[in-house]
Amino acid sequence: MKNRSILFVLAAFLLVSSCDNNTNSDPGQLEQASVYVINEGNFSQSNGAISSYNFETGESSVDVIADKTGSPFVGYIQGSTIIEDQLFVVTNAPSQIKVYDLKTLDLQDTAELSFDPRAISPAGQGKALVSSLYDSSVVALDLETMEITDPKIMVGPYPNYTLNADGKVYVSNGNSTVSMIDVGSVELGKNIPVGPGPNQIIEGPSGLIWVVCEGYAAYDDNGNRDPENDVPGGIYIIDPAQQAVVTNIQTGGRPTGIAINNNSDLAYVSYTSSDVVTIDMNTQQIVDESFISRSFNAIGFTASEQMILGGVSNGLAQNGKTIMYTLDGTAVDSFEVGKSPIEFEFVTN
Amino acid sequence: MSKLWIRYSTALCSCVLFFIHHLAYSQVISDTLQLEEIEVVATRIQQPLKYQPTHVEVIDSVSLSMQSVQNIGEVLNSSSMLFIKDNGPGGIATASQRGLSASQVQVLWEGIPINSVMAGQTDYSLLPASLFSTVQISSGNPSSAFGGGSLSGAIYLSSDRAEYQGVSIGQSVGSFGQWQSSLNGQIQSGNWRVHLKSAVSRDENDFEYYNRAFDQEEYRTHNRQEQENIIAGIGYSQGNKQFESKFWFADSKNEIPGTILTSNSQSRQDDQSMRWLSRYQTYWGEAEFTFKNYVDRSELNYFDSKADTRSISTTRRWLISSAFDYKINNNVLLKGELSGSLSGVETNNYTGLKTRQQFSALLNPEFETLQSRVHIYPALRLDSYNDFGTVLSPTLGVNYALRKDKLFLRGQLSRDFNPPTFNALYWLPGGDPNLKPERSNNAEAGLVYYPRWLSFSTVTLTSFYNRVNEGLRWTPNETGNYVPENVDQVTSKGLETSLTNRFTVGRQWNLVLEQSANYVHAQITEPRFDGDEALGNQLRYIPKWNYQASLRAQRTFLSAFIQYKWTNRRYTTDTQEFASSLKPYHLLHATLQLQQQYFGVNFQAQTGVRNLLNTDYEIIQWYAMPQRNYHLSLTATYEF
């Protein structure tokens, strides 16, 4: 009998000792955010996140949705954009576009898609254009019904970033082109050749379109790196009137993003493994090749605070951080964000 | 679901009624359940379990027969201390042992390493349990035993011939469109013996699950799996000479559904392999020599039309070995082996054919002293590779009988290695041909006690410590491509305990109660980059605690098998974020088996319920696992 008791005590001890008493934290109130940091997350875990920071109070949240609802954000985030007073977040796994109130981040609508969306840009008339990652197309989304409406517009393979500027939506493609779509007719205008790996697009002075091209890393027939045949990254500037690249700023390295100051006269370009470069947007010349001695996953500029924000990734299994810099490149503060920050969305009152 | 339950209940009742009027004539078909008599092959140390220097778990043929409709991944998950990273029915299943990764667990078929040389791991969902006679898990198996790849031990699969001469056919059906047929047989004539094991399955795997992301019940789609497996062998024995040749053909076609967050997966994978092992054993004087010749050819093809991905890979391998045992006296057994292998991979993911040549020499004598109370097992193995150099793997194992046949103290020290996989060396882009092997220092110490509790019992307590250096990690480089680097330093330490009771109730019921629990703390010990917050935290997907228990009861024509497993919380991030962790879960499985003989034919009916508690759980994040499900099988065996 004594021996049986020992057995049962052992079993009971093992069960009790292994109980897990952790409980999830209660949802909290959302501070009014000044900036949202869009974090990609790990594809296999769909743990993208929207982080927030308030410049006045210094309050921050790594995952605003988790703090608000008690459940973490679900999705592998591809991109985001602000349309009027709403934040649109594009995810794969699941293939969705989630629409949040910009101030409260209350979920207002969700578009369930049958394809893998990559990016979204407003297209006027209550529509937005959404790029489809795997079928070389862009489709129109009715923002009222959240349904796909118009036929597909075929662009280049693996359409990437999109930008609406002056009645045109620009789409960077995996075949080193940028497609220019007329918003009014929702028709493809032209595929404009740019550098390899076009990604982020911004509108610069004089309506010129600046395209960040990541470049091309060459390998020889044996699979070994062949740096002599690399095509360095750079900024390709498109003149919409000419529908062609008019300038190519060879920055080298592998640029990941670009941000411009509120005067639109200085651009900050971030890289995967080299320092932040500044470019005079009027002369289109590099000003400083090592403005900030650090590489970033994403870069942003806040006009209200006159600061540069750099998103640092610590891989896909732990949170990253955002470091804030003054206009002379001095780091002044930082806050924790989600996994792999890719974009900044600034909230203006 | 209720209709399904009625259907299975009716079938079960029919089976019971079918057998019940023949109780008086029933015969015992299964044998007794004495684990200690099993020959230990997983450690390469020719001693009973009690004299081994490390802990060895054995899943015997009786347990396997009660789980014959499962795959080896499911069997290991419910019957061993291994943590199986199972993506659900139809999905890949890999193993984590003592907190380390799947590529650090060596899988052996009849002593031959069968981990893919491309990825360095085995998918256990492709291995039907019905093909194998025993499975042995040696968590502390050193590289000196069977070569590199065993930083956290080895799993040894045996497919011995059947114990009968005859033919056996079986058919099983299960929930969510699971269907499996088997044909086994053996015939002996004079000195010759021919045997066959085969299994064919067609599984829809369209089970219902709760999708916690969308808060709704859904059905798994694009999850069909088709498998065919045949192991055929021929043997010849005369005097002290034995020859045996086995051929294993496996073919699998899988649809891959992806996570429960993806609704439009179009990917699929085809796996095909042919393995041929020949073994000749003879004596020259007092020395026993064993020669092996092994060849295999495997294809692994992956297609994803949506992402325009088409990966075609063919692996070929040839291995020869010559081993000897020579008993110098009652205290010294001299053993060793010379072996060589040639591996080659052709795939559109590499540039051209990639090959590896390997030569190995092993000396692993066994010593007994102090009236057989002390067993000492030193071993030294040299592995020379043409692509990354030469590795020495020393081991020292000891077993000391503190009380003869009652209490044993045992332990082992070893330095082990894991060769870089072909993918790490040659994947385009990113592969690095200059990678070094992963190295580890392993230590294990424990006690085994055989008290007379409840007739006969075994108690084990094992502690272990593994320190892995030069661990491989894939990180993005300056071009944005993921490349492997020898940067990880991982420490894994923990405790394992087990308790087995074998006893008889009312002279007719033979019962075996097994319990085991383990604690693992596996962590990164050196920062891999500035600000690495993984330090000191539990590695992702590794539960700190596991507990499992099983009760096997057997009475003449009737057997019952109940299995329980509790798995602790697992974290999916380096920083142990609670919000994205996977909750602990309890699983309970029950199997009932009836055996009866009619007209010289043995019939065996088996029915089982898996996940009896209807637990909603995930082993891998966003991969659904089935709720309560059932199977029913009938096997007929005719002995010549």
Side-chain angles (χ1 to χ4, degrees), chain A residues 32 74 86 88 117 152 157-158 182 189 192 207 218 226 229 233 251 258 271 281 284 311 316 324 341:
Chain A
Q32 176 66 57
V74 175
Q86 292 178 313
F88 287 67
K152 287 180 182 177
Y158 304 106
D182 183 80
I192 303 166
D226 181 14
N229 286 313
T251 64
I258 188 169
Y271 294 81
M281 299 189 79
Q284 298 175 352
L316 302 176
M324 294 180 283

Side-chain angles (χ1 to χ4, degrees), chain A residues 3-4 6-8 10-11 13-15 17-20 22-25 42-47 66 72-75 92-96 112-116 134-135 158 217 219-225 230 253-254 272-273 294 313-319 336 339, chain B residues 213-214 259 261-264 306-308 351 354 427-431 433 452-454 473 477-483 497 499 501 513 515-517 528-534 540-541 545 547 564 566 568-569 571-575 577-580 584 586 621-623:
Chain A
N3 293 332
R4 286 189 201 183
I6 291 171
L7 297 181
F8 290 119
L10 173 63
F13 169 74
L14 289 167
L15 278 175
S17 62
S18 50
C19 285
D20 196 324
N22 290 336
T23 55
N24 209 341
S25 57
N42 186 332
F43 177 77
S44 63
Q45 294 173 323
S46 291
N47 57 357
F73 183 94
V74 175
N92 290 171
S95 298
Q96 291 179 333
E112 304 284 352
L113 304 175
S114 60
F115 57 89
D116 295 294
Y134 294 120
D135 62 0
Y158 304 106
Y219 289 82
D220 65 17
D221 291 341
N222 294 318
N224 300 316
R225 281 282 289 117
D230 281 357
R254 184 170 181 269
T272 52
S273 57
R294 182 148 197 169
S313 173
N314 286 329
L316 302 176
Q318 50 188 278
N319 289 335
E336 185 180 1
K339 293 158 196 71
Chain B
F214 305 135
T259 72
L261 302 174
T262 54
S263 56
N264 54 354
K306 187 178 73 175
D308 197 23
T351 54
K354 301 299 180 189
W427 190 267
L428 187 68
R452 303 291 288 180
W453 296 344
L454 294 174
R473 176 182 167 85
N477 67 0
E478 77 284 354
T479 67
N481 292 317
Y482 274 75
V483 296
T497 184
L499 175 61
N501 302 101
L513 173 64
Q515 297 180 83
S516 63
R528 299 158 296 179
F529 52 86
D530 286 342
D532 189 350
E533 295 186 14
R540 295 189 299 147
Y541 280 111
W545 289 93
Y547 169 76
Y564 169 80
W566 176 83
N568 195 195
R569 184 172 297 277
Y571 295 96
T572 63
T573 61
D574 282 349
T575 47
E577 291 168 32
F578 187 86
S580 55
H586 304 260
Q621 192 173 30
W622 304 122
Y623 281 85

Side-chain angles (χ1 to χ4, degrees), chain A residues 254-273:
Chain A
R254 184 170 181 269
T256 55
I258 188 169
I260 55 177
N261 68 1
N262 56 319
N263 297 326
S264 294
D265 57 12
L266 194 63
Y268 305 91
V269 182
S270 61
Y271 294 81
T272 52
S273 57

Side-chain angles (χ1 to χ4, degrees), chain A residues 67-98:
Chain A
D67 289 348
K68 277 180 65 72
T69 66
S71 299
F73 183 94
V74 175
Y76 177 59
I77 299 183
Q78 294 289 290
S80 64
T81 196
I82 293 172
I83 302 177
E84 298 178 350
D85 56 355
Q86 292 178 313
L87 176 66
F88 287 67
V89 180
V90 179
T91 68
N92 290 171
S95 298
Q96 291 179 333
I97 294 173
K98 298 177 183 180

Side-chain angles (χ1 to χ4, degrees), chain B residues 187-194 234-239 241-243:
Chain B
I187 187 167
Q188 187 157 357
S189 176
N191 296 327
W192 289 91
R193 185 182 64 250
V194 178
I234 184 168
Y236 176 84
S237 60
Q238 185 177 39
K241 295 177 180 171
Q242 288 184 352
F243 170 77

Side-chain angles (χ1 to χ4, degrees), chain B residues 385-618:
Chain B
Y385 291 79
N386 70 316
D387 49 356
F388 64 87
T390 299
V391 185
L392 266 179
S393 305
T395 303
L396 179 63
V398 176
N399 183 298
Y400 176 54
L402 294 169
R403 286 177 61 197
K404 194 170 177 61
D405 292 331
K406 273 283 190 184
L407 180 63
F408 299 86
L409 175 66
R410 62 190 183 189
Q412 181 177 274
L413 297 171
S414 65
R415 180 153 172 80
D416 305 320
F417 77 102
N418 198 18
T421 64
F422 275 50
N423 283 354
L425 293 169
Y426 306 119
W427 190 267
L428 187 68
D432 180 359
N434 299 314
L435 288 172
K436 293 177 282 190
E438 298 177 312
R439 297 304 307 255
S440 74
N441 295 320
N442 294 342
E444 174 173 334
L447 287 166
V448 190
Y449 181 43
Y450 295 95
R452 303 291 288 180
W453 296 344
L454 294 174
S455 182
F456 186 76
S457 301
T458 307
V459 183
T460 69
L461 179 67
T462 307
S463 63
F464 63 88
Y465 177 88
N466 297 344
R467 183 176 175 84
V468 179
N469 295 309
E470 312 284 1
L472 277 186
R473 176 182 167 85
W474 289 74
T475 51
N477 67 0
E478 77 284 354
T479 67
N481 292 317
Y482 274 75
V483 296
E485 292 179 280
N486 291 103
V487 294
D488 274 1
Q489 293 211 14
V490 175
T491 297
S492 170
K493 54 193 173 187
L495 282 172
E496 298 166 343
T497 184
S498 69
L499 175 61
T500 304
N501 302 101
R502 298 180 189 84
F503 50 101
T504 303
V505 174
R507 295 185 180 178
Q508 290 184 316
W509 283 98
N510 289 316
L511 285 92
V512 179
L513 173 64
E514 294 181 293
Q515 297 180 83
S516 63
N518 62 315
Y519 166 82
V520 179
H521 184 38
Q523 59 179 324
I524 297 286
T525 48
E526 294 285 338
R528 299 158 296 179
F529 52 86
D530 286 342
D532 189 350
E533 295 186 14
L535 293 189
N537 291 326
Q538 183 80 346
L539 290 185
R540 295 189 299 147
Y541 280 111
I542 306 299
K544 273 193 175 178
W545 289 93
N546 277 300
Y547 169 76
Q548 65 202 28
S550 69
L551 177 64
R552 206 165 67 197
Q554 186 179 1
R555 175 189 167 170
T556 57
F557 72 103
L558 177 66
S559 301
F561 193 32
I562 299 170
Q563 296 169 289
Y564 169 80
K565 182 152 190 170
W566 176 83
T567 302
N568 195 195
R569 184 172 297 277
R570 286 132 297 129
Y571 295 96
T572 63
T573 61
D574 282 349
T575 47
Q576 297 190 197
E577 291 168 32
F578 187 86
S580 55
S581 63
L582 299 174
K583 64 183 181 182
Y585 60 88
H586 304 260
L587 290 178
L588 185 64
H589 312 306
T591 306
L592 188 67
Q593 183 173 287
L594 301 164
Q595 298 181 93
Q596 183 58 49
Q597 193 173 71
Y598 291 99
F599 311 111
V601 178
N602 291 321
F603 289 92
Q604 176 183 287
Q606 188 184 93
T607 185
V609 187
R610 290 186 68 80
N611 193 2
L612 196 58
L613 303 174
N614 214 24
T615 302
D616 275 321
Y617 69 108
E618 291 171 15

Side-chain angles (χ1 to χ4, degrees), chain A residues 184-229:
Chain A
S185 62
V186 198
E187 288 182 351
L188 177 65
K190 186 178 180 183
N191 287 329
I192 303 166
V194 293
N199 193 344
Q200 190 181 350
I201 309 171
I202 59 166
E203 184 179 9
S206 309
L208 297 177
I209 302 300
W210 290 49
V211 183
V212 176
C213 294
E214 295 176 350
Y216 169 74
Y219 289 82
D220 65 17
D221 291 341
N222 294 318
N224 300 316
R225 281 282 289 117
D226 181 14
E228 288 187 4
N229 286 313

